[in-house]
Amino acid sequence: MTVTPARAAGAVLLALIALAPLVPMAGMKQYVLHVVIQIFVWSFIGQAWSLMGRFGLVSLGHGAFLGVGAYAVVLLWNFYGLTPWVGGAAAIALSVVVALVVAYPCSRFGIIGHYFALVTLAVGEVVRLLIIAERDWTGGSLGVTLKAASDASLVAMQYADKRVWYYAGLGLWLFGLWVWARLDRSMARAAMEAIGEDETAAACVGVRVTRFKLRITVLSAALTALGGIAYAQYITYVNPETLAGIGVSLRIVFAVVLGGMYSLLGPTVGTALTIALSEWLRIVFGVKFIGMAETIYGLLLVIFIIFLPAGIYGSLAALVRRRRPAPVPATA
Amino acid sequence: MSMLELRTVTAGYGQFTALWDVSLAVERGEAVAVVGPNGAGKTTLLRVISGVIPPRHGDLVFEGASLAGRPAHEVVAHGIAHVPEGRRLFPKLTVAENLKMGAFLPRARKAYRESLERVSALFPALAERQKQRAGSLSGGEQQMLAIGRALMSRPQLILFDEPSMGLAPVMVLRLFDLIRRVREEGYTMLIVEQNVRQVLKLVDRAYLLEVGRVRMEGRAAELSEQDFVRKAYVGL
Amino acid sequence: MIDPIFLVEAAVNGIMLGGVLALLALGLNLIFGVLDIVWIAYVDLVMVAMYAVYFLVMVYGWPIWLGGLGGVVVGVALGILVHLLIITPILDSPPVNQLLATGGLLFFLQSIATFLWSTDHKSVRVSLPSIELGGIFVSYPRLIAFVLSILVMVGLYLFLTRTFIGTAIRAVSQDRGAMALMGASPQKIYVVTSAVGGAMAGVAAALLSIQYSVHPYFGAAFGPITFMICVLGGLGNMVGAFIASFVMSEIIAIGGVVWSTEMGYVIAFALFIVMMFARPGGILAKRQ
Ligand SMILES: Nc1ncnc2c1ncn2[C@@H]1O[C@H](COP(=O)(O)OP(=O)(O)OP(=O)(O)O)[C@@H](O)[C@H]1O
Ligand SMILES: [Mg+2]
């Protein structure tokens, strides 16, 4: 690998991120770590969403996979004492099954565009309502708290020390970037892009549409469930409104589209900004004006979508490209 | 003064220029044809006149008023009806509803009943199919409906874009008969046609358009005598 | 075993609910059919209009019918406002952005309602008795809401088929350019469409006000089911949406009695998903 300025900058940035928990920040430290961990986890989930979104599979039901992942792992631990390492695998498997049950018919019957968005939205609602309906198990709309482990924190995947979660979150985020980049470079991408443009045409030139769509959906669902598991283990509390349903699904999509779903760092930029924004608004308005922070958040989202249709990162990238002098063609 | 006058109009799509300095005039009561090969810019010419696309420069004067750059829905109100290429009916609306939409302008809406009677008299076939969906009509009937719909706006000038396109030869002859009858009602018209032989029998004058420029212009009878036109377009 | 009389009562209530759901679905469907945009925040507009009805009736003491009309006016105003401020700039954006712009509006409306009016449930109290019909109890407000919603739907039907502007709304959804050649400004027709959609939201708000209390998350409760109905009926297909409303509301009402309200919804959504696979174009697709 050659050393380019961009790569060097990336390496320096990564080193800074890795060292951040060692910086003394007095009383602020726990809070800063908490915000950054959230950014890592939700960026990872955003990356998982964008694997589908960038190919025209706009899902408004990713909350379903989050919810399935988070609830399965928490309930298995609470009721059967099953370690999240095993429970997590089961949770991911379950979300993959859900994804297949929905995605197979969707691609088989050519459900795309608005219809796909609305079908996935229904799936998200089904999961949310099932969680509420099964209140004997799930605590209904009040949610459940993860039972604290007596000791063995590695087995229980519970850590009081936020630094552990910081590095775990960092690892998760880097893993998400790696998957994104792998997919970006693979053959699958060309195929999926052809499908995104025009499904029939892609099928005509020999792209196996159903198979590619299924693979990408399964991958996206599994990673989203993983993100849900990580979030549940970190927060140690799950609730149908924050982990399933239309609200959280929309938030994921917002962050990604805001950042720009066609670039590696787009989901991260969008997530970091939306989380930072809502944290900041929360601090500014505190508990005095309940709802004000969210009001401004919603308003800003609408404004961003209208005025920066390519996303923040995407628009900035386009701006930089325009600024740069056009390459002079080498004429002989 | 001419009813419609185009002065050195240039127009196109994006970077592409489809019409170069086209000048053209239509007198009141006249029927004028525009002929030319595929891609010559005939449709573009009609689109500029009816305001679907704005001219890049040049002027467009109708009845003394400059219409250059006016949007399509305002141009219609000035009395220009456009029977577009491919008919562009509302396929899921009935025949009656399509005609009703032709009379959408406030002025035309007032005279709706009367216009409907006139159109029904001209096209009895349509009157019989009032409740049928436009999309289920035959090609010839659809073209009649497109023309009828244009008449409903009570225009002074009608623009036809290849009315005979896609019709069987027998239907083409019937259609030209119908257009002739419309003409006898006193409408001024500008017709774009590929069927040069037929259209030259119908009109007073004609323009020949090639790659976005007016190549020739003259009385219909003289033009059809010219060797060049006969060989290239009339096929004699 | 459940007493069959409860099932019959649930079925009757389902029909009543279906009327109002149909109203919502038709409004959303009209907008979708013409503008090709799904207003994710549509039912949140209903929520705001319901607050309007509440304040007019309970705080300012207007009679209920006048308050209801006030709700309709608010609905129309919201429809126009949303159209001009949000929809017009994104008419040519990619579908994701369109979904998200109206989705952002959803967050905005939900939270501004929380901010202004708190999360308390607020209800318009109308003292009307239940009426008994052969052992079945039907609440009077529901019956009124049902009858009025049917009347309004008939009105919408006549508007769309008999008037020039109504026909133009249908025409512009089939060929925007051709409608411009008829002398109609497509932009104006779009605004009228959104206003009519807003009016439907306002009427629904008035009719829902007398049966349900309003809270900031009202839209979240009724929104998804409204989208499902639209898709089930076939996006842009009015008759389909009408039938789908009653199918869904029956499932919810009967499921609610047999199991629980949530399970009623779960079954409705599951049916929706299955139907999507069986008939992607909507329940009436084959007849088209
Ligand atoms: N919407 C468009 N965008 C870009 N270019 C266009 C568009 N419509 C037409 N053109 C181009 O403009 C030129 C003139 O097209 P136009 O349709 O006016 O030709 P025409 O004389 O009507 O041809 P035909 O006889 O095939 O109808 C053609 O080269 C065509 O490719
Ligand atoms: Mg043409």
Side-chain angles (χ1 to χ4, degrees), chain B residues 70-220:
Chain B
R70 291 301 184 79
H73 62 269
E74 286 181 20
V75 172
V76 200
H78 280 84
I80 301 179
H82 186 165
V83 184
E85 193 172 49
R87 317 191 237 284
R88 304 280 293 269
L89 297 171
F90 305 112
K92 292 187 198 161
L93 298 191
T94 63
V95 169
E97 286 172 331
N98 268 277
L99 291 174
K100 197 167 164 183
M101 287 300 96
F104 188 82
L105 287 169
R107 174 168 51 81
R109 219 178 286 187
K110 285 198 199 94
Y112 172 59
R113 296 268 150 227
E114 189 202 328
S115 313
L116 196 61
E117 270 165 34
R118 272 171 75 183
V119 170
S120 302
L122 263 174
F123 305 110
L126 290 184
E128 289 163 19
R129 294 182 160 71
Q130 292 282 331
K131 293 227 169 354
Q132 200 173 322
R133 283 189 174 205
S136 67
L137 295 177
S138 75
E141 290 161 350
Q142 289 195 6
Q143 190 60 56
M144 284 181 213
L145 179 54
I147 297 172
R149 187 178 66 172
L151 293 177
M152 291 299 289
S153 71
R154 303 184 78 82
Q156 299 170 51
L157 170 68
I158 310 177
L159 313 174
F160 292 92
D161 198 343
E162 301 204 28
S164 75
M165 190 166 73
L167 298 186
V170 200
M171 265 318 297
V172 173
L173 293 182
R174 281 191 52 201
L175 183 82
F176 276 104
D177 276 343
L178 281 172
I179 295 177
R180 195 165 285 126
R181 287 186 52 198
V182 172
R183 199 186 157 197
E184 283 157 7
E185 300 254 311
Y187 292 101
T188 308
M189 49 179 68
L190 182 63
I191 310 180
V192 161
E193 254 300 335
Q194 296 268 17
N195 201 324
V196 177
R197 198 194 326 192
Q198 288 298 331
V199 81
L200 287 183
K201 285 191 206 156
L202 178 78
V203 298
D204 306 306
R205 286 188 307 121
Y207 290 83
L208 174 64
L209 209 61
E210 270 184 350
V211 279
R213 289 189 167 81
V214 175
R215 267 289 296 271
M216 247 190 248
E217 170 203 345
R219 306 217 58 82

Side-chain angles (χ1 to χ4, degrees), chain C residues 78-99:
Chain C
L78 285 173
I80 294 174
L81 219 61
V82 169
H83 184 94
L84 295 180
L85 294 180
I86 298 178
I87 304 301
T88 308
I90 56 165
L91 269 177
D92 299 316
S93 300
V96 200
N97 290 36
Q98 296 176 337
L99 283 174

Side-chain angles (χ1 to χ4, degrees), chain B residues 13 16 18 37-44 47 85 162 194:
Chain B
Y13 307 90
F16 177 77
N38 288 113
K42 308 182 293 295
T43 297
T44 308
R47 284 189 181 143
E85 193 172 49
E162 301 204 28
Q194 296 268 17

Side-chain angles (χ1 to χ4, degrees), chain B residues 50 52 72-73 76 82 84 88-93 97 100-105 109 112 149, chain C residues 161-165 167-168 170-172 174-175 177-186 189:
Chain B
S50 66
V52 176
H73 62 269
V76 200
H82 186 165
R88 304 280 293 269
L89 297 171
F90 305 112
K92 292 187 198 161
L93 298 191
E97 286 172 331
K100 197 167 164 183
M101 287 300 96
F104 188 82
L105 287 169
R109 219 178 286 187
Y112 172 59
R149 187 178 66 172
Chain C
T161 51
R162 298 283 192 277
T163 65
F164 273 90
I165 185 78
T167 313
R170 288 188 296 140
V172 91
Q174 294 170 38
D175 194 330
M179 206 51 220
L181 291 180
M182 306 292 108
S185 151
I189 294 185

Side-chain angles (χ1 to χ4, degrees), chain C residues 3 8 21 31 42 62 66 88 107 130 132 142-143 153 168 183 207 215 220 225 230 238 271:
Chain C
D3 190 338
V8 176
L21 281 183
I31 293 173
Y42 185 69
W62 291 22
L66 197 60
T88 308
F107 281 122
S130 286
E132 199 203 317
R142 286 198 177 177
L143 192 61
M153 278 185 273
L207 299 181
H215 52 92
I225 190 78
C230 284
M238 295 289 187
L271 174 86

Side-chain angles (χ1 to χ4, degrees), chain C residues 199-276:
Chain C
M200 298 312 258
V203 175
L207 299 181
L208 285 166
S209 288
I210 56 176
Q211 338 176 24
Y212 297 93
S213 49
V214 61
H215 52 92
Y217 295 94
F218 190 87
F222 274 83
I225 190 78
T226 308
F227 303 132
M228 302 310 123
I229 289 170
C230 284
V231 179
L232 198 59
L235 283 172
N237 183 336
M238 295 289 187
V239 182
F242 182 76
I243 295 172
S245 309
F246 288 99
V247 173
M248 292 300 241
S249 61
E250 279 302 327
I251 293 174
I252 292 168
I254 295 180
V257 170
V258 178
W259 295 284
S260 66
T261 311
E262 288 88 10
M263 279 316 280
Y265 275 94
V266 167
I267 296 169
F269 288 147
L271 174 86
F272 162 75
I273 295 167
V274 172
M275 285 301 290
M276 266 337 283

